[in-house]
Amino acid sequence: MSAPPKIPVFYPDSKVPVVCRSRPPGGPVNFHQHTDADWEFFYVSTGTTRVRVGEAHWDLGAGDLLTIRPDEPHACVRCRGKRYALMLHRKVLRGIPLRARGEASQGLVVDGVRIPKLLSVAPPRRQTVEYVLDRLHQESFGNEGDRQTMCVALLTQLLLEIKRSVVGEERWTGPRISPFARETIECLCEEVAAELASPWSMSKLVKRSGYSATQLASFFVQVTGMSPCRWIAQARVRKACELLAQSDASIVDIAVNVGFGSRCHFHRVFHKVVGTTPGRYRSLALHETRPLNPRHAP
């Protein structure tokens, strides 16, 4: 068998050797190995993903994080759902205000805690992990100044969340969810995401899932890290963010299209989730996507 090809990692900014990509479902990627000291992390947000690392195959579900060392050939064999691929050069770890190091022989160590190759991120931490990955994706491909400082800050937060998941893994005593129940919840989430404008009540979710309200709430937390109501609110806000950044529709129309009953309710939930108002978010999004004046480019 021939050796896997070696490919370089092309970072959007050579001064910020961190890049995060949000990957939708797609075909297989060529089996390859990085040419430099580049680490890669696969995180599965929804669905399932199969990754080949060397001769081993890893089947990942929602909340799973797989660490790939610089010397390991790898490829994403199959993906159903949403996943993130985060790549960074080992030298970035030196700039993080943590005792973080990555060694090909020992793996990743954060503040004296060894991160296992495959980690299931604790459900309460998944929301934060996915938010940080989304922000890393925006920063690594953005055109704003101070990208290096922001990426280091976000990477620090991500590693802290990963470390806390490892430390708190033994304390997680919630009931373990079956593969069938997990798939049911994931399908229900896909249905809700496709029909956000519908009035999704707890009784309607219970009827669609076939579980009791107590079971449904428990399974939702294990799969998404949130209660059903909170997950729906988050999904509506995420969709609203897309529409605010990519369309000229009014804020009221967007609120209705994603399922909020009133402008006041939309503003309150949006500010709680995002930390700013819809109008301010739209202004910032338009500013970030506007081409830079060459004289002011970093």
Side-chain angles (χ1 to χ4, degrees), residues 10 27 51 74 82 92 146 154 185-186 195 216 259 290:
F10 294 102
V51 181
H74 56 278
K82 181 180 179 182
V92 178
D146 299 322
L154 291 168
I185 299 301
E186 289 175 352
E195 302 176 17
L216 181 64
R290 188 180 299 119

Side-chain angles (χ1 to χ4, degrees), residues 201-221:
S201 63
M202 191 63 177
S203 60
K204 184 175 181 180
L205 293 173
V206 166
K207 184 176 180 180
R208 292 292 182 92
S209 68
Y211 296 112
S212 68
T214 302
Q215 287 177 313
L216 181 64
S218 174
F219 291 158
F220 241 88
V221 170

Side-chain angles (χ1 to χ4, degrees), residues 13 15-16 135 139-140 142-154 298:
D13 185 343
K15 297 180 181 178
V16 188
R135 291 292 295 121
E139 287 295 331
S140 60
N143 58 7
E144 290 294 301
D146 299 322
R147 284 194 300 274
Q148 184 174 12
T149 302
M150 181 60 75
C151 283
V152 167
L154 291 168

Side-chain angles (χ1 to χ4, degrees), residues 86-156:
L86 171 68
M87 284 158 282
L88 60 99
H89 194 280
R90 186 170 59 187
K91 69 181 181 182
V92 178
L93 296 173
R94 304 190 193 111
I96 293 176
L98 291 171
R99 290 185 297 118
R101 68 179 190 274
E103 300 176 4
S105 60
Q106 296 185 0
L108 183 65
V109 179
V110 179
D111 273 347
V113 176
R114 189 178 305 281
I115 308 302
K117 187 169 187 63
L118 177 61
L119 168 68
S120 181
V121 177
R125 303 198 180 280
R126 292 177 190 173
Q127 178 188 359
T128 303
V129 166
E130 291 172 24
Y131 169 77
V132 173
L133 288 170
D134 279 329
R135 291 292 295 121
L136 276 166
H137 174 77
Q138 295 171 22
E139 287 295 331
S140 60
F141 287 101
N143 58 7
E144 290 294 301
D146 299 322
R147 284 194 300 274
Q148 184 174 12
T149 302
M150 181 60 75
C151 283
V152 167
L154 291 168
L155 193 58
T156 301

Side-chain angles (χ1 to χ4, degrees), residues 141-190:
F141 287 101
N143 58 7
E144 290 294 301
D146 299 322
R147 284 194 300 274
Q148 184 174 12
T149 302
M150 181 60 75
C151 283
V152 167
L154 291 168
L155 193 58
T156 301
Q157 184 178 4
L158 177 65
L159 291 177
L160 278 174
E161 292 296 330
I162 293 172
K163 172 197 168 186
R164 287 174 174 176
S165 281
V166 175
V167 173
E169 193 173 36
E170 295 181 356
R171 297 198 297 267
W172 174 249
T173 58
R176 298 302 173 183
I177 187 172
S178 69
F180 176 79
R182 179 182 293 276
E183 185 174 0
T184 299
I185 299 301
E186 289 175 352
C187 290
L188 184 59
C189 288
E190 292 176 2

Side-chain angles (χ1 to χ4, degrees), residues 54-94:
E55 297 302 318
H57 286 81
W58 299 80
D59 291 311
L60 313 180
D64 286 343
L65 177 77
L66 183 68
T67 302
I68 299 175
R69 302 175 186 180
D71 59 337
E72 293 181 316
H74 56 278
C76 181
V77 178
R78 184 179 66 249
C79 174
R80 184 178 69 84
K82 181 180 179 182
R83 76 184 191 277
Y84 294 88
L86 171 68
M87 284 158 282
L88 60 99
H89 194 280
R90 186 170 59 187
K91 69 181 181 182
V92 178
L93 296 173
R94 304 190 193 111

